[in-house]
């Protein structure tokens, strides 16, 4: 793996200017779940109760899907010694969705990548570079096509494991939107560790303005004006480690090679109605690289995207181009609009 330039850890940051100042109408809840800080700001009479309901719902999802919690359904499926284990309808449905995207992206998204991810230490925080031999052995336990689901039972071959890390936050954001709607909230900003979901527009009726963090430097590379959609970014700059030789290894793994993705992309942002679709595609298209991601967009549509590459190019799809403005003047990237 070639040496990559060190770039600072960066997460998508949120611009919240121009919000209603009425304290009775606005409630912001911060909580920690799914290994990240989550912030939900809702506007409406029932905002506080709504955000508290969201927090308990996401905690329940985490309990079901944590890869490390011995009580989770995902853990049970990966430690059954090859036996079938019961799963909830909700787990079965998210799994079916993830496997569908795996098929459509030719395995770029693979919810069975966990054994390799674990060897790199991304789950324990004790990062290390596995040997090629170790990786090639572990790759034998990876393959979304081999997951067997029958009604509410799942069977994984011994050695295989599941990980919803690439889709769970997106699903949780969709759930959050539904809970807020049940509480009559029609304006909210949901930020689940960088997975953004916009409910309606800002209380004054204008679009939300979401800053896209520059993966290479402090600050934003640009700002997206949008409402009523999800905006999800994947990149290896979010969670990574630096090996002794200075090589940077990120947390998104190419399931074919077993190595962290290193294809010239810095980040992939997906914009669409549904959070889980954005989440699944941001991870998958990051694995695929700029060329295949562009091809995928042309063939499938139904979403917009912004690809940032190491050679200072931004690929922006035509559906979102008018809503995106650059925030940098120096060393500004070349923007290529994908039609
Ligand atoms: P995201 O931040 O949504 O791009 O998801 C990244 C997380 O998904 C990682 O931290 C892993 O838990 C998991 N992951 C890494 N690579 C893949 C992959 N190729 N397919 C599915 N999940 C992955
Ligand atoms: Mg994802």
């Amino acid at each position: 793996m070639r040496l990559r330039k060190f770039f600072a850890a960066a997460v998508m940051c949120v611009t919240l200017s121009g919000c209603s100042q009425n304290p009775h109408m606005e409630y912001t809840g911060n909580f920690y779940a799914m290994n990240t800080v989550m912030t939900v700001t809702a506007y409406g009479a029932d905002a506080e109760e709504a955000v508290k309901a969201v927090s308990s719902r996401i905690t329940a999802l985490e309990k079901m899907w944590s890869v490390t919690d011995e009580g989770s359904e995902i853990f049970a499926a990966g430690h059954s010694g090859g036996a079938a284990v019961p799963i909830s309808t909700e787990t079965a449905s998210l799994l079916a969705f993830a496997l569908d995207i795996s098929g459509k992206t030719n395995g770029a998204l693979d919810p069975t990548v966990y054994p390799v991810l674990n060897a790199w230490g991304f789950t324990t925080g004790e990062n290390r570079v596995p040997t090629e031999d170790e990786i090639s052995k572990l790759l034998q336990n990876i393959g979304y096509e081999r997951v067997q689901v029958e009604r509410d039972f799942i069977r994984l071959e011994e050695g295989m494991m599941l990980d919803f890390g690439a889709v769970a936050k997106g699903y949780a954001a969709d759930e959050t939107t539904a809970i807020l709607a049940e509480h009559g909230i029609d304006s909210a900003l949901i930020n689940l560790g960088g997975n953004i979901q916009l409910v309606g527009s800002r209380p004054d009726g204008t679009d939300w303005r979401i800053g896209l963090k520059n993966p290479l430097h402090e600050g934003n590379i640009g700002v997206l004006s949008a409402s009523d959609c999800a905006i999800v970014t994947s990149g290896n700059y979010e969670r990574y480690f630096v090996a002794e030789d200075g090589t940077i290894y990120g947390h998104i793994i190419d399931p074919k090679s077993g190595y962290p993705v290193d294809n010239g992309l810095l980040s992939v942002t997906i914009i669409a109605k549904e959070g889980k679709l954005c989440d699944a595609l941001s991870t998958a298209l990051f694995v695929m690289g700029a060329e295949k991601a562009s091809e995928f967009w042309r063939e499938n549509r139904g979403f917009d995207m912004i690809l940032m590459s190491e050679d200072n190019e931004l690929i922006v799809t035509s559906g979102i181009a008018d809503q995106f403005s650059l925030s940098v003047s120096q060393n500004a990237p070349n923007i290529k609009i994908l039609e």
Side-chain angles (χ1 to χ4, degrees):
M1 198 182 195
R2 82 192 131 89
L3 195 74
R4 285 194 278 160
K5 231 192 297 173
F6 183 89
F7 40 83
V11 291
M12 181 179 278
C13 92
V14 176
T15 312
L16 236 185
S17 54
C19 296
S20 161
Q21 294 303 304
N22 184 342
H24 302 294
M25 299 290 283
E26 174 184 332
Y27 182 81
T28 296
N30 293 293
F31 47 96
Y32 190 84
M34 298 180 171
N35 293 323
T36 190
V37 176
M38 302 190 163
T39 305
V40 179
T41 298
Y43 298 85
D46 216 9
E48 181 169 354
E49 209 176 303
V51 174
K52 286 182 177 161
V54 164
S55 155
S56 13
R57 176 81 177 106
I58 295 181
T59 306
L61 292 179
E62 181 178 21
K63 251 193 121 28
M64 218 160 37
W65 295 335
S66 162
V67 271
T68 46
D69 182 341
E70 293 185 11
S72 84
E73 291 186 16
I74 291 290
F75 189 93
H79 293 82
S80 69
V85 299
I87 50 171
S88 63
T89 312
E90 197 162 22
T91 300
S93 135
L94 187 60
L95 178 61
F97 170 77
L99 295 176
D100 181 49
I101 300 290
S102 299
K104 287 179 174 145
T105 60
N106 193 23
L109 183 84
D110 192 328
T112 69
V113 81
Y114 186 84
V116 168
L117 193 80
N118 195 35
W120 286 93
F122 284 110
T123 47
T124 56
E126 285 163 27
N127 293 115
R128 65 187 189 87
V129 181
T131 63
E132 278 181 30
D133 195 37
E134 194 181 350
I135 290 177
S136 64
K137 280 197 184 104
L138 288 171
L139 281 175
Q140 293 169 13
N141 295 329
I142 293 177
Y144 70 92
E145 323 90 312
R146 279 150 52 201
V147 174
Q148 297 169 39
V149 196
E150 209 173 301
R151 287 188 297 274
D152 293 341
F153 282 86
I154 178 176
R155 202 180 80 75
L156 294 176
E157 293 161 27
E158 191 152 17
M160 286 184 79
M161 299 247 331
L162 275 185
D163 172 17
F164 282 170
V167 289
K169 279 189 281 168
Y171 181 91
D174 291 333
E175 283 297 294
T176 301
T177 301
I179 291 169
L180 296 180
E182 281 164 19
H183 286 79
I185 310 280
D186 55 13
S187 173
L189 176 63
I190 302 162
N191 182 356
L192 309 186
N195 276 46
I196 304 290
Q197 200 131 322
L198 307 172
V199 176
S201 46
R202 293 195 296 190
D204 66 3
T206 58
D207 273 349
W208 302 97
R209 290 170 53 74
I210 304 301
L212 299 196
K213 198 78 181 85
N214 189 335
L216 292 172
H217 305 287
E218 284 292 303
N220 294 334
I221 193 110
V223 174
L224 256 179
S225 292
S227 54
D228 245 334
C229 64
I231 303 171
V232 178
T233 299
S234 284
N236 263 341
Y237 65 90
E238 302 163 312
R239 199 173 286 176
Y240 62 87
F241 75 97
V242 186
E244 272 174 22
D245 65 358
T247 308
I248 297 183
Y249 295 105
H251 70 134
I252 301 178
I253 305 285
D254 181 343
K256 302 245 169 3
S257 68
Y259 279 81
V261 170
D262 184 17
N263 58 18
L265 275 183
L266 290 172
S267 71
V268 171
T269 299
I270 306 286
I271 305 105
K273 276 270 176 260
E274 212 188 15
K276 75 175 178 193
L277 180 71
C278 290
D279 203 355
L281 290 183
S282 67
T283 310
L285 271 51
F286 184 75
V287 173
M288 287 159 79
E291 211 168 297
K292 283 195 182 142
S294 302
E295 215 172 281
F296 184 89
W297 178 79
R298 284 202 185 93
E299 283 168 10
N300 293 277
R301 310 273 169 155
F303 67 96
D304 277 292
M305 65 181 188
I306 299 174
L307 310 179
M308 286 193 214
S309 62
E310 281 171 7
D311 57 6
N312 206 26
E313 184 174 73
L314 279 184
I315 297 177
V316 182
T317 53
S318 51
I320 202 78
D322 288 350
Q323 291 160 254
F324 179 73
S325 53
L326 275 179
S327 330
V328 285
S329 46
Q330 279 190 342
N331 196 24
N334 301 317
I335 297 190
K336 186 176 144 195
I337 312 250
L338 210 60
E339 304 280 355

